[in-house]
Amino acid sequence: MAQPLVKKDDDRDDEAEYSPFMGIEKGAVLQEARVFNDPQLDARRCSQVITKLLYLLNQGETFTKTEATEVFFAVTKLFQSKDMGLRRMVYLMIKEISPSADEVIIVTSSLMKDMNSKIDMYRANAIRVLCRITDGTLLAQIERYLKQAIVDKNPIVASAALVSGIHLLQTNPEIVKRWSNEVQESVQSRAAFVQFHALGLLHQIRQNDRLAVSKLVSSLTRGAVRSPLAQCLLIRYTSQVICESGNNTQSGDRPFYDFLESCLRHKSEMVIFEAARAITELNGVTSRELNPAITVLQLFLSSSKPVLRFAAVRTLNKVAMIHPTSVTNCNIDMESLISDQNRSIATLAITTLLKTGNESSVDRLMKQITNFMSDIADEFKIVVVEAIRSLCQKFPLKYRSLMNFLSNILREEGGFEYKKAIVDSIVILIREIPDAKETGLLHLCEFIEDCEFTYLSTQILHFLGIEGPKTSDPSKYIRFIYNRVHLENATVRAGAVSTLAKFGAAVDELKPRIFVLLRRCLFDSDDEVRDRATLYLNTLGGDGSVVETDKAVKDFLFGPFDIPLVNLETGLKNYEPSEEAFDIDSVPKEVKSQPLAEKKASGKKPTGLGAPPSGPPSTADAYQRALSSIPEFANFGNLFKSSAPVELTEAETEYAVNVVKHIFDRHVVFQYNCTNTIPEQLLEHVIVIVDNSEADEFSEAFSKPLKSLPYDSPGQIFVAFEKPEGVPTLGKFSNVLKFIVREVDPTTGEAEDDGVEDEYQLEDLEIVSADYTLKVGVSNFRNAWESMGPDFERVDEYGLGPRESLAEAVNTVINLLGLQPCEGTEVVPPNSRSHTCLLSGVFIGNIKVLVRLSFGLDGPKDVAMKLTVRSEDETVSDAIHEIVASG
Amino acid sequence: MSPSKLELNPSVKNILLLDSDGRRVAAKYFSDDWPTNSAKEAFEKLVFNKTQKTNARTEAEITMFENNIIVYKFVQDLHFFVTGSDDENELILSSVLQAFFDSVGLLLRGNVDKKEALENLDLILLRIDEIIDAGIILETTPNTIAGKVGSNSTESGAPLSEQTLSQALASAREHLARSLLK
């Protein structure tokens, strides 16, 4: 060792990159591994070779199956050596190679011998290795030793057995559960880690038995646990028990709260923090319960250790979301953290302050943040921008200083995501705070004067087109918009043209001036820009006469574009150039895949921005084509909706049948997809006999049987029913599959001549209300809601009874209605007591429906719901209520 | 700590030892979050870049991204990292980092740098193996960890006087070969 030390000093400079593994190569090392087979083992050399192998694995090198097997077999030879260091490396190597089941057998006896060795290190490691590579059968053989090891007087051996038990519980629970006596004994161990591991295993063995867990917790909280880690575990188990036992509100005292509180005075910081965190996360924690925890977290805020400060501020940040007032005491400590070296801590401090700050402190805070913003990374800035947005929503009167702040940071350098967060925030504030509209719009106008992001420019132009004309002086925006036509790329120019047209359509006084500007755009170098200018000049009547813009044009310009782009794309692809113009109404409106995150400008022309939507052509489109190819269905009109396939048979039966319900205006078509899974049978003249005695408003119109159904090639049977037009008629249908069976000789594949008639009972099928609603999202629910107006609004309240959770209740209602959740409102934040969900869709007869669901917890589990429906037709509003009332 | 979470045991997702260029010296992953080596390398690169400019030489530092908490500490040209999920107790992760850091310090007897670390890679890997077993914290007391790895071995870390003559010769030959090779 002396030699390299001396050498190091003078070699340091020219040999900075020296590594003992320089130029190492897998092939060469595998060759070297042959020394493992030497009759006279050189322990030192073998150790070095294993190190090299481990180095290769560590650097991400992989061994092929044969290589791994070879290495494994060679390594097993090393059990002959008595050298402890080498043995330790052998254990590590075996774990790294993770041999296959048939190879494990080779080392089993060596490892079992080591498990009974006198040397503790051998016993501990042999247990760990054997438990890692073993399967269930071997486990039964070594169970006896493992039980012994759990109560071994050497803590290392006991820990090894206990930790192995925790892992094995995942794969062989029934065996590990038999050890609970031994495990229980070692929970009392004096060795810290043995206690920790024993407690972890004991809890996992009992975790499904609430009573046992509760007993375990209540016996241990009386103070038998010494190890800090075990104490942390106990705190976790305790808060789980508290959570499951529910609120004991009668006495006002929570069981075990005293224990958590006492842990706040533990000598280990780890335990103090775990307890404080557990208290802040209690369900419906009161401020009296919260205060002691906040006090210790406050102390941590001024710790010299970054990890402690981070942990404390992160926890307080979460508390501030629900109990902002409890955290205000920490504000002074928190403010000093704004200048913390660690930027994660500083950002958490800022966002916490923004949540707890009161109206009077906003201005001071903004000043501090301005200094802070210049030296943090974009990702942190985005967090701050979002916090400022919610602060502004909380204190609308402060919009001036907050809006100023946003516009200032908008002018500074920053990446796309950051700028987008700022623009989104300004847009939201403009929507929510009417006073902020004009200043906000001007800030945005200034921004697009010098904006390098095409996406943001077009988004802002679109937004200007909607909001700008409604301001007191729309003309002042025209200059900003028209400047785009001169200075920007084609995409932005096209966006600017559309925006100009919107001003023209909405503000009659501006029309002549807009026409002049649009006419200039006719000479643009880009097709899209010219096309748009021509289109708008024509629709707005740009022949010089100033006329009232009619409703159809306004709808075209301002109305939401509610056809999914994927569907439109396939529609256009299928369209063959002919005399007949492309009919946009023929494009199905159903959203097949989950729509992308809500974009504030989805009402944009498909030629606008972003990547073209990709994905498979919608199945609705495929169905439409398939159905229209059957002459009998051709006169049924446009397909309204096709349901997802419903299985009518159990899995793995002789015949697999599922059904797709196609809903038309006056008809319902059942498409039975049948598969024959018996190779020895050929089915012929397959029909489905549908009994509609429980669906008497339907009358069978037509049935299309299947001529033959050979093995494993699916075929379709169609049955059509007539139903009253445009009404959501419900009913239940029972189905029987009828056919003629002909035996097939499996060797020749030839079918016998005579067939036997047979039938096969299928499950019933139902037409439910959700079959009559289409999921169609709207881009801005609020706008859509307001423009729909309260004419056909229907409100009612429902009690949903006891439910698993609020989220479960919300999902049930969404599925029942079959409407599209908007703006991400289908997600219920954890622990919330109430939730509002927005849904939109189209009802049969092409009637738009908007639904606002307000859920509230009434008592511990009972969910109450207020349902407000707006639609274009009062019968539809009523129908939606009926769906819920009957569901 | 939601009640639905089955696994309440504190767990570690990975332990990393990187050099001053962000290259891997030793690494052990215990979670499936990074299934391939390239995913691992990408994570290491990200961690390294995010923490490179911070000063984590006196006290352990901490950061959070992609739903992971990362505690880290640097010494000379070695960067120590421990990663856990974002609902883990930061102080527990920090105790694991400290155990890793101290036990490597103990092993290298104060000369904690990349070169020494690579020369004792076997013992560093063994220490990681003794600190964490498949994600579960096994031991965090540096002296106990060192004891478990075993000192009466014949690895290069052993004092020269305890080697037999033939081993000493082998060791000398090796050092000679190394100095010729460089």
Side-chain angles (χ1 to χ4, degrees):
Chain A
M1 209 56 206
Q3 203 181 352
L5 273 179
V6 177
K7 204 178 66 175
K8 196 174 64 187
D9 287 327
D10 42 17
D11 287 352
R12 176 53 64 80
D13 290 329
D14 55 315
E15 223 191 309
E17 282 303 301
Y18 166 77
S19 150
F21 301 104
M22 207 163 42
I24 192 169
E25 209 186 47
K26 184 170 81 169
V29 179
L30 290 172
Q31 289 285 322
E32 272 189 81
R34 291 188 179 162
V35 297
F36 299 165
N37 296 321
D38 281 357
Q40 289 294 311
L41 281 174
D42 177 352
R44 191 184 146 67
R45 187 146 159 63
C46 291
S47 274
Q48 280 169 352
V49 175
I50 292 188
T51 309
K52 285 184 189 169
L53 289 167
L54 287 171
Y55 171 82
L56 288 173
L57 287 171
N58 212 276
Q59 294 295 320
E61 186 79 65
T62 49
F63 292 162
T64 64
K65 184 89 182 62
T66 15
E67 283 167 348
T69 310
E70 262 171 44
V71 169
F72 174 73
F73 279 112
V75 165
T76 57
K77 302 264 170 46
L78 298 179
F79 274 103
Q80 286 165 22
S81 168
K82 294 268 179 285
D83 187 282
M84 276 180 82
L86 176 60
R87 184 66 59 87
R88 188 66 187 80
M89 294 304 283
V90 169
Y91 295 137
L92 189 58
M93 193 65 208
I94 294 176
K95 280 198 278 189
E96 287 294 329
I97 306 178
S98 53
S100 60
D102 49 330
E103 293 167 352
V104 169
I105 213 87
I106 310 289
V107 281
T108 311
S109 62
S110 304
L111 287 170
M112 278 169 75
K113 205 171 125 215
D114 282 358
M115 269 176 71
N116 293 300
S117 158
K118 287 208 167 48
I119 304 166
D120 297 332
M121 191 274 281
Y122 282 8
R123 288 210 302 284
N125 280 291
I127 289 171
R128 285 175 62 195
V129 176
L130 200 51
C131 291
R132 176 78 60 84
I133 59 177
T134 190
D135 58 0
T137 51
L138 189 62
L139 196 57
Q141 285 180 53
I142 58 170
E143 189 186 352
R144 190 159 58 91
Y145 305 114
L146 289 175
K147 276 173 148 179
Q148 256 170 35
I150 288 174
V151 290
D152 197 294
K153 64 180 186 309
N154 182 300
I156 299 172
V157 178
S159 275
L162 289 163
V163 171
S164 299
I166 295 176
H167 297 311
L168 288 171
L169 193 65
Q170 315 300 325
T171 48
N172 294 289
E174 64 295 333
I175 294 182
V176 180
K177 278 180 181 160
R178 296 202 289 254
W179 309 346
S180 67
N181 284 339
E182 285 78 9
V183 178
Q184 185 131 33
E185 194 181 326
S186 53
V187 171
Q188 307 303 325
S189 165
R190 304 195 70 79
F193 274 90
V194 176
Q195 190 171 52
F196 165 57
H197 295 135
L199 182 57
L201 179 55
L202 191 62
H203 178 265
Q204 282 197 10
I205 289 176
R206 298 190 178 164
Q207 64 184 358
N208 293 325
D209 181 354
R210 280 191 192 185
L211 196 65
V213 171
S214 178
K215 266 187 188 163
L216 175 71
V217 166
S218 57
S219 72
L220 289 175
T221 48
R222 294 193 204 109
V225 176
R226 278 172 299 272
S227 136
L229 274 173
Q231 191 80 3
C232 286
L233 270 187
L234 186 56
I235 291 171
R236 292 184 188 186
Y237 302 154
T238 307
S239 51
Q240 194 184 31
V241 169
I242 295 179
C243 176
E244 279 167 2
S245 67
N247 275 355
N248 189 359
T249 40
Q250 287 92 347
S251 63
D253 280 339
R254 217 187 271 269
F256 300 119
Y257 173 78
D258 288 344
F259 166 71
L260 292 182
E261 207 256 350
S262 72
C263 289
L264 294 175
R265 293 184 292 277
H266 198 274
K267 60 184 185 304
S268 159
E269 281 165 345
M270 186 194 288
V271 176
I272 300 176
F273 174 66
E274 186 73 47
R277 196 170 74 146
I279 291 178
T280 63
E281 286 173 3
L282 289 176
N283 264 340
V285 65
T286 64
S287 55
R288 192 171 59 88
E289 290 170 319
L290 207 49
N291 279 337
I294 303 284
T295 311
V296 297
L297 290 174
Q298 188 175 2
L299 282 176
F300 284 177
L301 286 181
S302 44
S303 160
S304 65
K305 294 181 191 159
V307 175
L308 261 183
R309 294 199 300 274
F310 177 90
V313 76
R314 190 161 78 103
T315 310
L316 289 172
N317 190 311
K318 278 189 208 146
V319 178
M321 286 182 209
I322 311 162
H323 305 281
T325 48
S326 297
V327 185
T328 40
N329 284 341
C330 311
N331 277 5
I332 294 172
D333 304 83
M334 207 76 87
E335 277 178 36
S336 60
L337 290 184
I338 296 179
S339 53
D340 200 297
Q341 288 274 312
N342 184 319
R343 280 359 219 141
S344 306
I345 296 177
T347 312
L348 284 166
I350 286 271
T351 49
T352 315
L353 282 169
L354 289 173
K355 283 171 199 153
T356 59
N358 50 25
E359 200 151 357
S360 59
S361 65
V362 168
D363 292 310
R364 191 166 47 92
L365 208 54
M366 296 318 290
K367 206 177 273 170
Q368 270 177 309
I369 297 176
T370 316
N371 301 329
F372 162 85
M373 287 300 268
S374 54
D375 53 32
I376 56 169
D378 270 11
E379 54 186 286
F380 292 141
K381 289 181 184 169
I382 293 173
V383 178
V384 175
V385 166
E386 276 160 8
I388 286 176
R389 177 174 72 206
S390 47
L391 184 69
C392 195
Q393 285 168 313
K394 200 162 98 190
F395 302 124
L397 287 177
K398 285 287 166 194
Y399 79 87
R400 217 177 288 275
S401 66
L402 295 167
M403 193 66 110
N404 263 337
F405 176 82
L406 289 176
S407 76
N408 280 336
I409 55 173
L410 192 54
R411 268 184 232 124
E412 279 157 23
E413 285 294 298
F416 172 71
E417 289 298 328
Y418 173 44
K419 290 284 161 96
K420 182 168 176 297
I422 305 174
V423 169
D424 285 348
S425 297
I426 294 182
V427 166
I428 289 172
L429 296 185
I430 291 174
R431 281 216 183 107
E432 302 206 346
I433 306 169
D435 290 342
K437 184 188 272 183
E438 306 230 346
T439 29
L441 285 179
L442 278 176
H443 287 316
L444 292 178
C445 283
E446 260 168 51
F447 174 61
I448 53 170
E449 288 280 46
D450 187 22
C451 169
E452 54 188 311
F453 305 111
T454 301
Y455 176 81
L456 289 180
S457 290
T458 49
Q459 297 278 303
I460 291 173
L461 282 170
H462 173 77
F463 185 66
L464 272 177
I466 294 174
E467 296 294 336
K470 297 184 207 155
T471 55
S472 57
D473 182 13
S475 64
K476 68 182 171 197
Y477 302 103
I478 301 290
R479 181 174 58 87
F480 293 104
I481 300 164
Y482 189 62
N483 278 348
R484 303 296 108 232
V485 179
H486 285 301
L487 303 167
E488 300 280 359
N489 61 40
T491 312
V492 179
R493 290 204 302 273
V497 168
S498 299
T499 306
L500 283 176
K502 283 179 191 153
F503 273 80
V507 188
D508 287 333
E509 308 84 77
L510 288 178
K511 236 176 218 167
R513 287 152 70 188
I514 296 284
F515 286 151
V516 175
L517 297 176
L518 284 179
R519 265 188 221 111
R520 287 194 200 153
C521 301
L522 292 175
F523 303 102
D524 196 278
S525 59
D526 184 76
D527 288 351
E528 175 70 23
V529 180
R530 285 198 309 273
D531 287 353
R532 285 199 191 190
T534 316
L535 172 70
Y536 294 132
L537 278 171
N538 283 325
T539 47
L540 294 178
D543 45 9
S545 60
V546 175
V547 288
E548 279 279 296
T549 317
D550 65 28
K551 190 173 172 307
V553 174
K554 276 198 171 157
D555 272 354
F556 169 63
L557 279 172
F558 294 104
F561 185 78
D562 52 6
I563 299 171
L565 298 187
V566 192
N567 298 2
L568 181 62
E569 192 190 3
T570 38
L572 285 169
K573 273 186 189 154
N574 293 338
Y575 171 70
E576 280 166 22
S578 63
E579 288 296 301
E580 205 179 327
F582 177 73
D583 181 10
I584 199 154
D585 291 331
S586 67
V587 180
K589 289 182 178 171
E590 183 160 16
V591 188
K592 272 298 160 187
S593 54
Q594 198 61 26
L596 293 170
E598 149 86 351
K599 288 266 165 17
K600 62 182 181 294
S602 63
K604 198 157 276 293
K605 289 269 169 273
T607 40
L609 324 147
S614 57
S618 70
T619 44
D621 193 57
Y623 283 140
Q624 170 88 52
R625 246 176 304 163
L627 288 174
S628 59
S629 66
I630 300 167
E632 285 83 355
F633 300 147
N635 59 355
F636 283 7
N638 275 331
L639 177 60
F640 175 73
K641 178 182 182 173
S642 302
S643 74
V646 182
E647 296 297 334
L648 295 182
T649 51
E650 303 281 323
E652 307 188 15
T653 43
E654 298 97 310
Y655 315 109
V657 180
N658 65 40
V659 66
V660 177
K661 299 174 268 185
H662 302 288
I663 310 287
F664 291 86
D665 237 16
R666 273 178 295 120
H667 296 88
V668 177
V669 175
F670 298 135
Q671 173 185 337
Y672 297 90
N673 300 311
C674 312
T675 314
N676 172 10
T677 63
I678 305 175
E680 296 84 18
Q681 284 191 358
L682 171 70
L683 306 189
E684 285 187 332
H685 301 287
V686 191
I687 50 170
V688 180
I689 308 289
V690 186
D691 174 14
N692 62 337
S693 55
E694 282 181 73
D696 41 17
E697 283 179 81
F698 294 86
S699 57
E700 185 163 341
F702 170 75
S703 170
K704 185 171 181 293
L706 196 59
K707 267 222 172 86
S708 86
L709 184 64
Y711 165 63
D712 206 23
S713 64
Q716 283 104 29
I717 302 165
F718 294 92
V719 181
F721 281 88
E722 243 180 283
K723 68 171 201 60
E725 184 173 353
V727 191
T729 320
L730 309 182
K732 195 170 174 184
F733 303 82
S734 52
N735 312 291
V736 179
L737 197 64
K738 269 200 167 175
F739 44 81
I740 295 169
V741 192
R742 284 171 64 189
E743 296 291 323
V744 176
D745 186 339
T747 46
T748 59
E750 274 175 40
E752 279 177 26
D753 287 341
D754 334 319
V756 187
E757 234 179 89
D758 199 357
E759 55 179 54
Y760 190 81
Q761 183 69 40
L762 302 175
E763 311 252 331
D764 292 350
L765 116 90
E766 258 185 289
I767 293 273
V768 293
S769 320
D771 290 328
Y772 294 105
T773 54
L774 266 187
K775 289 186 176 192
V776 178
V778 291
S779 53
N780 182 333
F781 191 85
R782 197 192 169 91
N783 282 357
W785 183 263
E786 271 156 24
S787 64
M788 182 82 80
D791 300 350
F792 301 118
E793 182 174 297
R794 290 285 182 277
V795 190
D796 208 346
E797 289 180 16
Y798 301 87
L800 302 183
R803 293 279 167 176
E804 196 111 315
S805 68
L806 206 51
E808 187 258 347
V810 172
N811 270 334
T812 312
V813 178
I814 292 175
N815 289 337
L816 185 65
L817 292 176
L819 295 172
Q820 176 72 38
C822 298
E823 305 180 6
T825 53
E826 73 273 28
V827 182
V828 183
N831 291 337
S832 47
R833 305 274 306 159
S834 64
H835 183 73
T836 300
C837 180
L838 309 172
L839 303 174
S840 80
V842 171
F843 203 69
I844 189 160
N846 225 0
I847 295 159
K848 278 191 197 129
V849 182
L850 297 170
V851 172
R852 195 186 279 260
L853 298 166
S854 306
F855 294 86
L857 274 178
D858 183 18
K861 294 276 180 204
D862 281 349
V863 178
M865 176 180 79
K866 183 176 161 191
L867 171 73
T868 315
V869 186
R870 286 187 180 185
S871 75
E872 292 164 339
D873 187 332
E874 59 183 319
T875 54
V876 172
S877 299
D878 290 333
I880 295 285
H881 273 285
E882 263 167 47
I883 295 176
V884 175
S886 59
Chain B
M1 237 186 314
S2 65
S4 60
K5 204 182 144 213
L6 283 171
E7 182 66 69
L8 292 174
N9 237 325
S11 67
V12 172
K13 288 190 179 183
N14 65 41
I15 288 190
L16 309 174
L17 180 58
L18 306 181
D19 71 5
S20 53
D21 299 318
R23 277 177 305 207
R24 192 185 290 169
V25 176
K28 185 77 190 155
Y29 286 79
F30 308 105
S31 104
D32 306 329
D33 293 8
W34 304 276
T36 62
N37 189 50
S38 51
K40 288 177 179 136
E41 277 173 351
F43 177 76
E44 284 159 30
K45 193 160 173 246
L46 194 63
V47 168
F48 181 78
N49 288 338
K50 293 233 178 215
T51 57
Q52 194 185 7
K53 292 201 190 87
T54 55
N55 180 18
R57 293 186 183 268
T58 46
E59 287 285 356
E61 280 286 347
I62 183 164
T63 188
M64 182 168 96
F65 59 85
E66 291 174 353
N67 301 326
N68 290 313
I69 302 249
I70 294 128
V71 286
Y72 55 100
K73 200 165 180 184
F74 305 156
V75 64
Q76 302 230 39
D77 54 356
L78 285 178
H79 295 203
F80 295 75
F81 301 90
V82 170
T83 309
S85 84
D86 65 352
D87 50 7
E88 195 48 84
N89 181 332
E90 290 89 340
L91 303 183
I92 293 182
L93 294 177
S94 164
S95 75
V96 174
L97 175 73
Q98 197 63 40
F100 181 37
F101 185 86
D102 287 348
S103 62
V104 171
L106 216 59
L107 164 73
L108 304 181
R109 300 192 187 109
N111 291 316
V112 186
D113 62 20
K114 183 188 175 188
K115 182 170 176 252
E116 287 290 319
L118 281 173
E119 294 204 347
N120 293 287
L121 185 70
D122 47 352
L123 296 172
I124 288 179
L125 292 174
L126 285 180
R127 271 158 177 75
I128 296 179
D129 185 57
E130 290 294 355
I131 296 171
I132 303 288
D133 183 278
I136 296 180
I137 303 167
L138 197 58
E139 177 62 65
T140 59
T141 327
N143 281 316
T144 319
I145 297 166
K148 285 164 84 177
V149 172
S151 50
N152 56 340
S153 66
T154 50
E155 280 102 12
S156 54
L160 219 52
S161 60
E162 286 177 20
Q163 297 183 5
T164 63
L165 184 65
S166 63
Q167 281 168 343
L169 269 176
S171 155
R173 195 167 24 204
E174 208 174 290
H175 284 305
L176 183 68
R178 262 187 215 164
S179 53
L180 287 175
L181 260 172
K182 66 178 178 179

